[in-house]
Amino acid sequence: MDERRTDTREAIRSVALELFAEQGYDKTSLREISERLGVTKAAVYYHFKTKEEILLSLIEDFLAQVDDVVDWAQSQPATAAIRHEVLRRYSDLLGGRTTQLARFMQEGQAAIRDLAAGTEMRKRIDRLVGILATPGQPLPTQLRARVALMALHVGAFAGRDIDATDEQRRHAALQLAQEIVGPAS
Amino acid sequence: MDERRTDTREAIRSVALELFAEQGYDKTSLREISERLGVTKAAVYYHFKTKEEILLSLIEDFLAQVDDVVDWAQSQPATAAIRHEVLRRYSDLLGGRTTQLARFMQEGQAAIRDLAAGTEMRKRIDRLVGILATPGQPLPTQLRARVALMALHVGAFAGRDIDATDEQRRHAALQLAQEIVGPAS
Amino acid sequence: MDERRTDTREAIRSVALELFAEQGYDKTSLREISERLGVTKAAVYYHFKTKEEILLSLIEDFLAQVDDVVDWAQSQPATAAIRHEVLRRYSDLLGGRTTQLARFMQEGQAAIRDLAAGTEMRKRIDRLVGILATPGQPLPTQLRARVALMALHVGAFAGRDIDATDEQRRHAALQLAQEIVGPAS
Amino acid sequence: MDERRTDTREAIRSVALELFAEQGYDKTSLREISERLGVTKAAVYYHFKTKEEILLSLIEDFLAQVDDVVDWAQSQPATAAIRHEVLRRYSDLLGGRTTQLARFMQEGQAAIRDLAAGTEMRKRIDRLVGILATPGQPLPTQLRARVALMALHVGAFAGRDIDATDEQRRHAALQLAQEIVGPAS
DNA sequence: CATGAATGAGCTTTCATTCAT
DNA sequence: CATGAATGAAAGCTCATTCAT
């Protein structure tokens, strides 16, 4: 019943995610976060040592899920079917809880670039790319891996002007991404 | 003879582009721009009314070229071959003078979103998308249009970790983009 | 048997002294003190009402010892020999447990000036000076009293760059201080 | 007539010196400095890049004068008479424009220790000490050099409770300092 | 054309302190 | 005895922008 304990910390994360997604990391000030929460800035600093730590704490959730996908893939044979399944799982990720997060990571890369969070994110995406196309493979294959992921991103949050539900868009994007990395046969 | 007139203005644009591309629009201050130029901030303000105006002036170059591509396309029949040619022309654009600009527009979308420059940019990209897939067409086609453009972007500046020249990457990206929007036949 | 009572209080005093000596009173935060102790800030506040009270509690030790020296001196005739003995006793003080404390009082006078602790300290030093030179005596004598004390301070903690042991330095300083206040004869 | 040019910069230095001397470097905020000046904080930052730079700019004046004394001494034979003259010149310095500065450097050593300004200051004082006692000389001589300088400091600003004019105090302190380093003969 | 000087608003962060539990 | 949570005030600093000269 007494769930107050972690209430504020979670509330901060929640509000921060909302604002980061809305306006970007840079443009979101701690004043904004704390005001929308009805607490003081100092209260936020009680729960997180720095602004970046909020971001990190947010990102880690998503990154852990990406790691899961990659880890699973590495325990499987490197077949086309597995690659398709990787895309499907990553697509699911983008549609889940972390949608907003993923979006603002995509859109606000510049703002995050130098932060630890940015480095970490790039590392994980690289791992993911590495599953779809190992470093030794030819240029077109490399490119296809990256573009396939981009396709999923477009489906998840860059194509909202298209007249379709989120579901439909994500599904269509998955199809396309799978086609891009090559036939499953 | 008197080419002094635009000298400083051009220098500002040049330095600003460099810095915007390097660090993003937000993170580049007027102090930085003017210092790297050896001028005072006030001097910059003599040439541009606001910081955003510098960005706008930079973007307009690129946008005009995009408009040219779209205008040309609209004067042609809406065939697959034309769509391929549109992609080729846009790819050329990305490889030209405006590469840096295009990159930072891609990476720093969040920073620009609310600015007039951001609105303008989105409008033009929408026009371009409209050439590759008219609004009435089915979801997959819509998606393919957007992803094809993304592929070109990836080829131009997001795939620099791939072991290949810029030229090769852009060429491969064009091939892929054309494949994505559908066969030329 | 139950010595727990003062355990924490003593630990706080000990850590605080260490940090005050290292970084000065101002630059030492309660967070630092409590963290190095593995306790919460609130725990510190249970034992001391304010930060200054920690300082005061620390200083009182030293000040009491100074008082002892002065009290003893006042019960003796005002001879040169007594003055030399006073210097010897004060020198011993500086070499004892309270060295660190004395040092940071010397170096951080500005930080403490307005605090009650600062006032108190100045009062005691004034008493000490009063033993070495009564207010009525001529300027040079007054000065000698103050400089003699300074000499002891230099010997105790300001001359650590000299190649000698603490012992040797303090001994030499005592000799010099005694010479400064005048011959024992 | 138009002396406005450097007016503000000088005013900042002047007010800062006053406040630093009064309350110490740490306890003086930029808000205080700017408010007492009737300008905004940002105006101060226009003239000095950081708070420390104000301090540095203040200290350099004094340090340059100390250097002059040392440089002169090094061009002379290392006699007792020269050492006495060095003390006299340094005493004059302490009585001049820079009195306040010297005082707060003495009192606030802790606050400055880690700053570049602190390092610089210690370097110069060390040079001065080196004139009065070369590193190879025995412990008592080393000590006498340091204590002699301290005596001058006491005369300049730590003995204001003595009933005498600044002049008289400084003069008496010089006599004492010269006696401490040894006879001129 | 350009500068020197200044402003107002905002930022992230730290601190001593309080209090219910 | 001690903690977790929070606060109010302040700090140093940066930025886009303005304007008289």
Side-chain angles (χ1 to χ4, degrees):
Chain A
M1 251 117 249
D2 180 16
E3 292 184 348
R4 269 291 125 67
R5 190 79 48 91
T6 51
D7 244 21
T8 304
R9 196 170 201 273
E10 270 323 301
I12 291 170
R13 282 168 43 101
S14 165
V15 167
L17 176 50
E18 209 175 315
L19 289 174
F20 287 171
E22 228 174 76
Q23 326 172 326
Y25 175 78
D26 267 355
K27 296 213 167 165
T28 302
S29 72
L30 281 183
R31 185 180 49 76
E32 241 174 322
I33 295 178
S34 58
E35 246 169 33
R36 186 177 294 209
L37 236 98
V39 290
T40 57
K41 271 181 295 170
V44 174
Y45 272 95
Y46 173 78
H47 292 282
F48 296 90
K49 265 211 286 272
T50 64
K51 187 184 171 187
E52 187 177 353
E53 222 188 47
I54 304 179
L55 177 61
L56 227 74
S57 131
L58 248 22
I59 278 187
E60 256 154 26
D61 276 10
F62 177 71
L63 258 33
Q65 289 180 279
V66 174
D67 274 344
D68 286 348
V69 173
V70 174
D71 289 346
W72 171 83
Q74 280 176 337
S75 75
Q76 302 294 121
T79 68
I82 294 297
R83 285 193 289 276
H84 280 203
E85 175 63 12
V86 163
L87 287 171
R88 207 188 54 69
R89 292 188 178 203
Y90 185 63
S91 172
D92 281 356
L93 238 61
L94 294 180
R97 263 285 163 83
T98 43
T99 310
Q100 284 187 301
L101 181 58
R103 158 156 28 162
F104 110 87
M105 286 194 289
Q106 152 104 345
E107 288 181 356
Q109 282 185 107
I112 294 183
R113 204 181 326 174
D114 330 320
L115 273 39
T119 312
E120 218 48 44
M121 220 201 42
R122 251 169 292 132
K123 251 191 252 171
R124 309 312 168 97
I125 295 295
D126 283 354
R127 283 189 80 198
L128 201 54
V129 168
I131 294 293
L132 300 173
T134 51
Q137 290 180 298
L139 172 55
T141 309
Q142 297 284 348
L143 218 52
R144 278 167 189 274
R146 283 161 181 82
V147 173
L149 289 178
M150 277 293 198
L152 295 182
H153 289 175
V154 170
F157 32 73
R160 273 160 304 163
D161 50 330
I162 304 178
D163 184 30
T165 68
D166 282 15
E167 251 313 288
Q168 293 174 321
R169 243 173 30 233
R170 268 208 0 270
H171 181 72
L174 177 55
Q175 298 268 114
L176 178 50
Q178 289 175 334
E179 178 191 320
I180 288 172
V181 296
S185 78
Chain B
M1 252 127 246
D2 181 15
E3 293 186 348
R4 266 291 125 68
R5 187 84 47 91
T6 50
D7 241 25
T8 304
R9 197 170 201 275
E10 269 323 299
I12 292 170
R13 281 167 45 100
S14 165
V15 166
L17 176 49
E18 211 175 315
L19 289 173
F20 287 170
E22 233 173 72
Q23 326 172 328
Y25 175 76
D26 266 356
K27 297 212 167 165
T28 302
S29 71
L30 280 185
R31 185 176 53 73
E32 242 174 320
I33 295 177
S34 57
E35 245 170 34
R36 187 178 291 209
L37 232 95
V39 204
T40 57
K41 269 185 293 176
V44 175
Y45 270 93
Y46 176 81
H47 291 284
F48 296 90
K49 260 212 292 268
T50 66
K51 185 184 171 188
E52 186 178 353
E53 224 186 47
I54 304 179
L55 177 62
L56 227 73
S57 131
L58 247 22
I59 279 187
E60 257 155 25
D61 274 11
F62 177 72
L63 258 33
Q65 290 179 278
V66 174
D67 275 344
D68 286 349
V69 174
V70 174
D71 288 346
W72 171 85
Q74 282 177 337
S75 77
Q76 303 293 122
T79 67
I82 293 297
R83 285 194 289 278
H84 279 203
E85 175 63 12
V86 163
L87 287 173
R88 207 188 53 68
R89 292 189 179 201
Y90 184 63
S91 172
D92 281 355
L93 239 60
L94 294 180
R97 263 284 164 83
T98 43
T99 311
Q100 285 187 301
L101 181 58
R103 158 155 29 162
F104 109 88
M105 284 193 292
Q106 153 102 344
E107 287 180 359
Q109 281 186 104
I112 294 184
R113 205 180 328 174
D114 330 320
L115 275 38
T119 312
E120 218 48 44
M121 219 198 47
R122 252 169 292 132
K123 251 191 253 171
R124 310 310 168 97
I125 295 294
D126 283 355
R127 283 189 79 199
L128 200 54
V129 167
I131 293 294
L132 300 172
T134 52
Q137 289 181 297
L139 171 55
T141 310
Q142 297 284 348
L143 219 52
R144 279 168 188 274
R146 283 161 181 82
V147 173
L149 289 179
M150 277 293 197
L152 296 182
H153 287 175
V154 170
F157 33 73
R160 270 161 306 162
D161 48 331
I162 305 178
D163 185 30
T165 69
D166 282 16
E167 251 313 288
Q168 293 173 321
R169 243 173 31 233
R170 265 203 7 266
H171 181 71
L174 178 55
Q175 299 267 113
L176 179 52
Q178 290 175 335
E179 178 190 320
I180 289 172
V181 295
S185 77
Chain C
M1 251 124 247
D2 181 15
E3 293 185 349
R4 266 293 128 65
R5 187 85 45 92
T6 50
D7 242 25
T8 304
R9 196 169 202 274
E10 269 323 300
I12 292 171
R13 282 167 44 97
S14 165
V15 167
L17 175 51
E18 210 175 316
L19 288 173
F20 288 170
E22 233 175 73
Q23 326 172 328
Y25 174 77
D26 266 356
K27 297 211 167 164
T28 302
S29 71
L30 280 184
R31 185 175 52 73
E32 242 175 321
I33 295 178
S34 58
E35 246 169 33
R36 188 178 289 208
L37 232 96
V39 204
T40 57
K41 270 185 292 177
V44 175
Y45 270 93
Y46 176 82
H47 292 283
F48 297 90
K49 260 213 292 269
T50 66
K51 185 184 172 189
E52 187 179 352
E53 223 187 48
I54 304 179
L55 177 62
L56 227 74
S57 131
L58 247 21
I59 278 187
E60 257 155 25
D61 276 11
F62 177 72
L63 259 31
Q65 291 180 276
V66 174
D67 275 343
D68 286 349
V69 174
V70 174
D71 289 345
W72 171 83
Q74 280 176 338
S75 76
Q76 303 293 122
T79 68
I82 293 297
R83 285 194 289 277
H84 280 203
E85 176 63 12
V86 163
L87 287 172
R88 207 187 55 67
R89 292 188 179 203
Y90 185 63
S91 172
D92 281 356
L93 239 62
L94 294 180
R97 262 286 164 84
T98 43
T99 311
Q100 286 188 301
L101 180 58
R103 157 154 30 161
F104 110 87
M105 284 192 292
Q106 152 102 345
E107 288 181 357
Q109 281 185 105
I112 294 185
R113 205 178 328 172
D114 329 321
L115 274 38
T119 312
E120 218 48 44
M121 220 199 45
R122 252 170 291 132
K123 252 191 253 172
R124 311 311 169 96
I125 296 294
D126 283 354
R127 285 190 78 199
L128 201 53
V129 168
I131 294 294
L132 300 173
T134 53
Q137 290 182 297
L139 172 55
T141 309
Q142 297 283 348
L143 219 53
R144 278 167 189 275
R146 284 162 180 82
V147 173
L149 289 179
M150 277 293 199
L152 295 183
H153 287 175
V154 170
F157 32 74
R160 271 161 304 163
D161 49 331
I162 304 178
D163 185 31
T165 68
D166 282 15
E167 252 313 287
Q168 292 173 322
R169 244 173 28 233
R170 266 203 7 265
H171 181 71
L174 178 55
Q175 299 266 114
L176 179 53
Q178 289 175 335
E179 178 190 320
I180 289 171
V181 296
S185 78
Chain D
M1 251 121 248
D2 180 16
E3 292 184 347
R4 269 289 126 67
R5 190 77 48 90
T6 51
D7 244 22
T8 304
R9 196 171 201 274
E10 269 324 301
I12 292 170
R13 281 168 43 102
S14 165
V15 167
L17 176 50
E18 210 175 315
L19 290 173
F20 288 171
E22 228 175 78
Q23 326 174 325
Y25 174 77
D26 267 356
K27 296 215 167 163
T28 303
S29 72
L30 281 183
R31 186 180 49 76
E32 241 174 322
I33 295 177
S34 59
E35 248 169 32
R36 185 177 293 209
L37 236 96
V39 290
T40 57
K41 268 183 297 171
V44 174
Y45 272 97
Y46 174 77
H47 292 282
F48 296 90
K49 266 210 284 271
T50 65
K51 187 184 170 188
E52 187 178 352
E53 222 188 48
I54 304 180
L55 176 62
L56 227 74
S57 131
L58 248 21
I59 277 187
E60 258 155 24
D61 276 10
F62 177 70
L63 258 33
Q65 289 179 278
V66 174
D67 275 344
D68 285 349
V69 173
V70 174
D71 289 345
W72 172 84
Q74 280 176 336
S75 76
Q76 302 294 122
T79 68
I82 293 297
R83 285 193 290 276
H84 279 203
E85 175 62 13
V86 162
L87 287 172
R88 206 187 56 67
R89 292 189 178 202
Y90 185 63
S91 172
D92 281 356
L93 239 62
L94 294 180
R97 263 285 164 82
T98 43
T99 311
Q100 285 188 299
L101 181 57
R103 157 155 30 161
F104 110 87
M105 285 194 290
Q106 154 103 344
E107 287 181 356
Q109 282 184 106
I112 294 185
R113 205 180 327 173
D114 329 320
L115 273 38
T119 312
E120 218 48 43
M121 220 200 44
R122 251 170 291 131
K123 252 192 251 172
R124 309 312 167 96
I125 295 295
D126 283 354
R127 282 190 79 199
L128 201 53
V129 168
I131 294 292
L132 300 173
T134 52
Q137 290 180 296
L139 172 55
T141 309
Q142 298 284 347
L143 218 53
R144 279 167 188 274
R146 282 160 182 83
V147 173
L149 290 178
M150 277 292 198
L152 295 182
H153 288 175
V154 170
F157 33 73
R160 272 160 305 161
D161 49 331
I162 304 178
D163 185 30
T165 69
D166 282 17
E167 252 312 287
Q168 294 173 320
R169 245 176 26 236
R170 266 205 4 268
H171 181 72
L174 177 54
Q175 297 267 114
L176 178 52
Q178 289 175 335
E179 178 191 320
I180 289 172
V181 296
S185 76

